[in-house]
């Protein structure tokens, strides 16, 4: 199996860590820094899917290197799917995960329906084509922040069937069940079934 070389089109170091842990060693995954990309990635499409494709196309067009972008978000039922595409900056700028979680918890105060899901859309540019893979995990928003692992909204998300938040689990547990893990399994299956690996 020859190595599949891809640039990860993300400025989020936690995503890079998770993707590198989840994909097998047959993938050679470079960071934007490794590829010499210093520009901000554009994210102006207003949807998670649109932004994933936009980030991947931007890196492809500026480097000519095949790449993989990840756009993700937390969708809360009782907030009509918010924060969704605005997850990174839900409580404004400068970006603060703590303030984002505090806002969500205050919006859900005394709310019975705490159902939510995390979604990831991966956009892959490979051999001149753009492919997309989606992963989703359902769960509930906890009453308060718990745990220090992971990033973003991990301290307030409890996946269905679990007692711990993502931030209380060790990274391996999150990486076997997360939205990102599910999307990456599809990507892996794509390479296996197309014998591209
Ligand atoms: P890039 O665009 O550079 O990839 P980003 O952090 O801005 O990095 P997104 O635009 O996809 O990424 O924003 C997604 C936000 O959703 C992210 O900043 C977190 O707040 C949240 N998020 C995504 N995946 C998450 C996860 O696995 N655990 C917790 N929060 C997550």
């Amino acid at each position: 199996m020859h190595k599949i070389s891809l640039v990860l089109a993300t400025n989020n170091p936690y995503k890079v860590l998770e993707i590198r842990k989840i994909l097998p060693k047959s993938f050679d995954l470079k960071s934007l820094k490794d590829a010499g990309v210093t520009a901000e990635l554009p994210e102006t499409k207003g949807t998670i899917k649109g932004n994933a494709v936009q980030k991947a196309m931007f890196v492809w067009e500026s480097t000519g290197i095949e790449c993989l972008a990840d756009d993700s978000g937390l969708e809360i039922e009782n907030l009509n799917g918010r924060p969704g595409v605005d997850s990174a900056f839900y409580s404004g700028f400068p970006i603060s995960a703590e303030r984002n979680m505090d806002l969500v918890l205050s919006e859900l105060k005394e709310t019975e329906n705490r159902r939510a899901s995390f979604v990831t859309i991966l956009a892959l540019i490979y051999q001149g084509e753009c492919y997309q893979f989606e992963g989703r995990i359902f769960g509930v928003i906890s009453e308060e922040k718990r745990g220090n692992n992971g990033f973003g909204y991990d301290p307030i998300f409890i996946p269905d069937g679990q007692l711990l938040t993502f931030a209380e689990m060790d990274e391996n547990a999150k990486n076997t069940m997360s939205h990102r893990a599910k999307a990456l399994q599809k990507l892996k299956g794509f390479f296996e079934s197309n014998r591209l690996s």
Side-chain angles (χ1 to χ4, degrees):
M1 189 145 107
H2 76 269
K3 283 238 180 201
I4 299 152
S5 198
L6 298 172
V7 175
L8 296 178
T10 175
N11 280 307
N12 184 325
Y14 298 98
K15 287 185 183 176
V16 174
L17 282 176
E18 288 190 2
I19 295 169
R20 284 191 170 142
K21 281 252 155 138
I22 294 165
L23 285 180
K25 295 280 167 275
S26 50
F27 286 82
D28 172 25
L29 302 168
K30 295 190 169 38
S31 67
L32 282 176
K33 200 169 152 217
D34 297 335
V37 179
T38 50
E40 272 292 302
L41 301 182
E43 292 191 66
T44 58
K45 295 295 180 187
T47 62
I48 290 178
K49 186 173 170 179
N51 283 350
V53 172
Q54 188 183 24
K55 287 188 280 191
M57 289 303 294
F58 178 84
V59 170
W60 164 246
E61 282 163 6
S62 50
T63 65
I65 311 175
E66 291 168 328
C67 62
L68 179 66
D70 165 321
D71 207 70
S72 20
L74 176 66
E75 298 183 347
I76 300 176
E77 229 176 67
N78 204 48
L79 301 179
N80 295 319
R82 281 186 286 122
V85 70
D86 297 335
S87 291
F89 48 85
Y90 190 46
S91 63
F93 295 91
I95 286 175
S96 160
E98 289 299 317
R99 215 177 51 231
N100 287 342
M101 288 187 284
D102 290 341
L103 178 57
V104 165
L105 290 176
S106 75
E107 288 182 320
L108 291 183
K109 213 163 183 206
E110 283 151 39
T111 302
E112 258 178 48
N113 177 9
R114 304 182 74 85
R115 296 217 40 86
S117 60
F118 265 127
V119 61
T120 289
I121 306 236
L122 298 172
L124 169 74
I125 311 281
Y126 196 75
Q127 297 185 343
E129 301 284 338
C130 180
Y131 304 92
Q132 287 126 57
F133 308 92
E134 179 174 333
R136 189 178 286 272
I137 182 163
F138 289 90
V140 292
I141 301 298
S142 57
E143 299 281 343
E144 72 276 303
K145 296 181 239 178
R146 294 184 348 222
N148 299 307
N149 299 332
F151 70 101
Y153 298 86
D154 281 344
I156 61 168
F157 184 81
I158 306 171
D160 283 348
Q162 306 293 317
L163 297 173
L164 302 180
T165 66
F166 266 162
E168 290 176 306
M169 293 178 187
D170 70 47
E171 63 185 22
N172 291 331
K174 178 185 175 188
N175 287 339
T176 56
M177 67 180 85
S178 76
H179 46 309
R180 184 160 297 107
K182 287 178 178 174
L184 287 166
Q185 288 310 325
K186 288 184 187 170
L187 172 111
K188 213 174 127 228
F190 164 83
F191 280 106
E192 284 162 3
S193 63
N194 286 292
R195 298 185 184 281
L196 294 170
S197 50

